[in-house]
Amino acid sequence: MVLEKIDQLAREWLEEAGNRIFMALEQTNIEVEAKSDRNDLVTNVDKSTERYFAEKIAEHFPDHRLLGEEGYGEEITSLEGVIWVLDPIDGTVNFVEQKRNFAISLGIYKEGIGELAYIYDIIGGEFYFAKRGEGAFVNDVEIPKLSADKKLEDALVIINTAAMHKFPQTLAIIKEARGLRLYGAATLEYMAVATGRADAYISANLAPWDIGAGKIIAEEVGAIVTRVDGTPMTITEKGASFVASPGVHAEILRDYLGK
Ligand code: IPD
Ligand code: CA
Ligand code: CA
């Protein structure tokens, strides 16, 4: 079965890519470039990691397509067939500045449906995995389903600064919540919600590779993933994203973002 083969190879490649990134952190000559603005960074390590996956996918699955951040894949306009959605390093600013709090993110979509997902927090030693309909796991331990009973007043929320500017209602959400947390890597922010370490994450500007894996894992534990207006998101779009446990998602939409 092709999904089993994909799963086996994806795990091997993630382990190898993780080792290479770990070794690269020891080097003093990481090349850093700014892309769309001075805080949108890419390094030679982001590029070589994506190129590694692009070569492996082309070799083993020539009819599959890659949707990746650094341009080694294809421009994807349709959801047909198998698409590998890859962020080789999510949290590149953290990679450069902190040498931690970043992850490799890989989601596998078949005819537009998320089937397999992997987020590998290399330094944190956490490997998140989900298979559609079969639960989500961190280091092979199943992640419990999220409670629908949580209230915003008891919740930790993650709201990036761009979302605070774009959606001024978020300031009232922060005021009502128990606290605000920011991690600087969308994948890890999705995983904070999936594991109940936080209860909601609102971001103004995510791309498919930021959420390709996180959406699958979060939905597998019962989180609700939508645009900020509550409508469903597709994997090819860029824009604002809102993920939360079910009760907190409903409360935020009803009392704040939906108004
Ligand atoms: C970024 C991070 C960041 C989010 C940005 C993303 P990158 O990804 O996930 O937390 O706020 O929107 O672009 O560039 O480090 O892969
Ligand atoms: Ca990213
Ligand atoms: Ca990236």
Side-chain angles (χ1 to χ4, degrees), residues 174-186:
I174 295 166
K175 194 161 177 229
E176 174 70 7
R178 171 163 284 172
L180 175 71
R181 300 289 181 271
L182 291 174
Y183 301 95

Side-chain angles (χ1 to χ4, degrees), residues 35 40-42 46 50 69-70 86-93 103 209-210:
K35 296 196 288 185
D40 179 15
L41 302 183
V42 63
D46 301 58
E50 185 167 314
E69 179 168 17
E70 308 307 343
L86 175 71
D87 194 336
I89 297 181
D90 180 50
T92 299
V93 171
W209 40 83
D210 295 314

Side-chain angles (χ1 to χ4, degrees), residues 215-230:
K215 181 172 186 289
I216 298 172
I217 297 170
E219 288 181 339
E220 200 55 41
V221 296
I224 311 294
V225 179
T226 62
R227 301 187 187 113
V228 162
D229 64 2

Side-chain angles (χ1 to χ4, degrees), residues 53-113:
F53 277 92
E55 288 169 0
K56 290 288 186 193
I57 295 164
E59 180 188 338
H60 290 267
F61 304 105
D63 57 335
H64 293 185
R65 295 182 293 162
L66 169 65
L67 173 55
E69 179 168 17
E70 308 307 343
Y72 294 91
E74 299 171 42
E75 189 165 346
I76 305 277
T77 52
S78 77
L79 297 173
E80 279 141 43
V82 178
I83 301 176
W84 296 59
V85 184
L86 175 71
D87 194 336
I89 297 181
D90 180 50
T92 299
V93 171
N94 291 348
F95 175 74
V96 170
E97 297 289 344
Q98 302 185 315
K99 298 195 187 302
R100 66 189 68 212
N101 300 323
F102 61 86
I104 309 175
S105 176
L106 176 64
I108 314 286
Y109 286 74
K110 199 171 165 194
E111 311 303 338
I113 296 171

